[in-house]
Amino acid sequence: MKNPLISLIMPLYNHEKYLSKSIKTIINQTYKKIELIIIDDGSTDNSAKIVKRFKDKRIKYFYQKNKGVKKLNETINKGLKLAKGKLVTMVTSDDYVPLDRFANQV
C-alpha cells in the first residue's frame, strides 16, 4: 500500500481550549493524504466555531445531538461509516500529535 488515504476520526465534545492546536498538529503533518472526520457530540462551547475557521478541505465536520460518553461507540461508528481511507485511526480532540506520526505509521 503506497500513499494510502488515512481517515482520522475525532469525536468532539466541548474541547475549545485544546481543539485549535489539536487540529493544527493534524493538518500540518508531513504525511498529507488524510481526511479528518470530526463528529461533534453536541458541544455547547465554541468548538464548532473553531473547527469552521479552518478552511482545509480535508476536514469534514458533522454535528449531532449529544449522545454522551456512554454512547461514544455510536459516535465512532458514525465516523467509520463516513471514512473513505484505506487506513483508519482515532485522534482525540484534546491531544497533540507529533508532526511525523502518520508518515511513520504508514
Side-chain angles (χ1 to χ4, degrees):
M1 208 178 329
K2 189 174 183 177
N3 245 1
L5 176 65
I6 303 173
S7 296
L8 309 167
I9 300 169
M10 177 186 280
L12 167 64
Y13 181 73
N14 287 350
H15 274 155
E16 70 179 340
K17 181 177 177 183
Y18 311 100
L19 186 59
S20 183
K21 186 172 179 183
S22 181
I23 291 172
K24 285 177 186 174
T25 66
I26 291 168
I27 63 174
N28 292 325
Q29 287 287 306
T30 57
Y31 188 87
K32 301 295 184 190
K33 199 167 178 183
I34 62 168
E35 67 173 351
L36 175 58
I37 301 167
I38 300 174
I39 311 292
D40 186 340
D41 191 32
S43 291
T44 57
D45 63 1
N46 288 314
S47 291
K49 289 179 185 175
I50 292 167
V51 173
K52 291 175 183 177
R53 281 189 219 141
F54 288 92
K55 302 300 179 196
D56 193 308
K57 293 179 182 179
R58 299 172 297 168
I59 299 173
K60 295 163 178 80
Y61 174 79
F62 302 90
Y63 182 89
Q64 67 185 20
K65 185 177 176 184
N66 182 264
K67 294 182 181 221
V69 71
K70 290 184 179 180
K71 294 190 177 182
L72 180 58
N73 63 315
E74 291 179 18
T75 300
I76 294 167
N77 285 337
K78 181 176 183 175
L80 287 170
K81 288 178 185 172
L82 295 164
K84 295 178 182 163
K86 293 277 186 191
L87 302 173
V88 180
T89 192
M90 295 246 327
V91 291
T92 59
S93 56
D94 64 344
D95 202 4
Y96 310 134
V97 180
L99 295 178
D100 60 351
R101 173 185 166 182
F102 304 121
N104 287 333
Q105 288 181 309
V106 168

